Amino acid sequence: MHRQDETRRQDDVADTHSSPAALPAGRRILVIGASQGIGLATCKAALSAGFRVRGFARNIDRSSLHHPDFEAVRADALNEADVAEALRGCDAVVQTLGIKADPATLINPVTLFSRATDVLLPAMRAADVARLVTVTGYGVGDSRRALPLPERLLFEAVMGRVAADKERQESAIRASDTQWTILRPGFLTLVASCPAARLRADPADWRNGFVSRNAVADAIVDLLRGGGYLHKAVVFT
């Protein structure tokens, strides 16, 4: 292994060590977008790690997880009162919003991510909840420059409207006073685990790849437990 690569790995490991933002087991996590995908996987991973979890989604099945430390809240991420109520008693927020991948996404404006974030950030401030982990995606923001040109053109054609709104979302988070981390996973796959996947904070180390939803969920829980990568956008591949 090259010395530079070894240094990057050491830096990545060091940044996951305990910090003032580290959350011990027993704290309550609000997972927004918890009905399926990464959000549901994060609920399961956080419960396994000893956290209490409040799962938030418009169509969440209250019987989807049978665990004494899990609470399902059927509510709307664009509703200020719903978000304010869901934040009560929470110590951190994981934001894993998603939209359907259908033809309408290609032709209609996308605003969910930025609008939900504009609701969430002042609500977090009012509730005195500081820690925020938000999932966007590889190719959003400055990570788009790391895509090869053919892949970048395809990404912009298919995901351009979604990415533009996620970039507005990221900008609002970066300007906030939260203890934020933005997580940008690569292509999501159904495989159970991705042992080679890791957090990549150095833009020189950014690359696309496949990661499982479970692996992303585990990375989110590690970020919460260790409190690392504060005020950074990191790629996970």
Side-chain angles (χ1 to χ4, degrees):
M1 180 182 294
H2 295 298
R3 183 178 300 274
Q4 185 179 16
D5 291 339
E6 178 63 28
T7 300
R8 286 178 191 151
R9 288 182 182 273
Q10 291 172 354
D11 289 344
D12 287 351
V13 170
D15 211 344
T16 62
H17 287 174
S18 184
S19 82
L23 293 178
R27 298 293 180 89
R28 179 178 281 114
I29 311 301
L30 175 63
V31 180
I32 298 177
S35 61
Q36 59 186 343
I38 292 173
L40 181 57
T42 299
C43 291
K44 295 176 180 178
L47 289 167
S48 295
F51 289 108
R52 292 179 291 164
V53 177
R54 182 172 291 157
F56 179 111
R58 285 186 303 173
N59 58 347
I60 193 167
D61 183 353
R62 292 187 173 92
S63 63
S64 59
L65 279 176
H66 297 284
H67 194 287
D69 290 328
F70 178 72
E71 175 188 1
V73 175
R74 187 171 293 176
D76 187 346
L78 299 180
N79 185 291
E80 294 179 3
D82 285 355
V83 174
E85 180 62 27
L87 280 164
R88 290 181 182 273
C90 290
D91 301 287
V93 179
V94 177
Q95 192 185 35
T96 64
L97 292 168
I99 59 175
K100 291 182 178 180
D102 57 27
T105 303
L106 300 177
I107 59 176
N108 294 328
V110 176
T111 61
L112 170 66
F113 305 101
S114 59
R115 289 172 61 205
T117 301
D118 288 343
V119 170
L120 175 63
L121 293 174
M124 288 181 64
R125 188 181 307 113
D128 196 25
V129 179
R131 186 66 168 122
L132 172 63
V133 177
T134 293
V135 179
T136 58
Y138 192 84
V140 175
D142 51 357
S143 68
R144 192 176 308 184
R145 296 196 300 267
L147 290 171
L149 181 58
E151 192 173 328
R152 190 187 317 158
L153 294 175
L154 178 61
F155 177 87
E156 291 172 353
V158 176
M159 297 296 294
R161 293 175 184 268
V162 173
D165 194 47
K166 288 188 175 185
E167 285 163 4
R168 291 189 289 269
Q169 176 188 29
E170 288 193 0
S171 294
I173 291 169
R174 288 176 183 272
S176 74
D177 56 1
T178 60
Q179 295 174 336
W180 59 266
T181 302
I182 293 169
L183 182 62
R184 297 163 170 169
F187 291 117
L188 296 175
T189 177
L190 296 177
V191 300
S193 65
C194 299
R198 64 184 180 88
L199 296 171
R200 304 172 187 271
D202 184 350
D205 194 30
W206 287 349
R207 64 199 66 179
N208 209 349
F210 291 93
V211 290
S212 71
R213 290 168 177 81
N214 288 342
V216 176
D218 289 340
I220 291 169
V221 172
D222 286 344
L223 287 168
L224 294 172
R225 289 191 297 195
Y229 298 97
L230 291 183
H231 305 136
K232 291 184 180 180
V234 295
V235 166
F236 184 64
T237 59

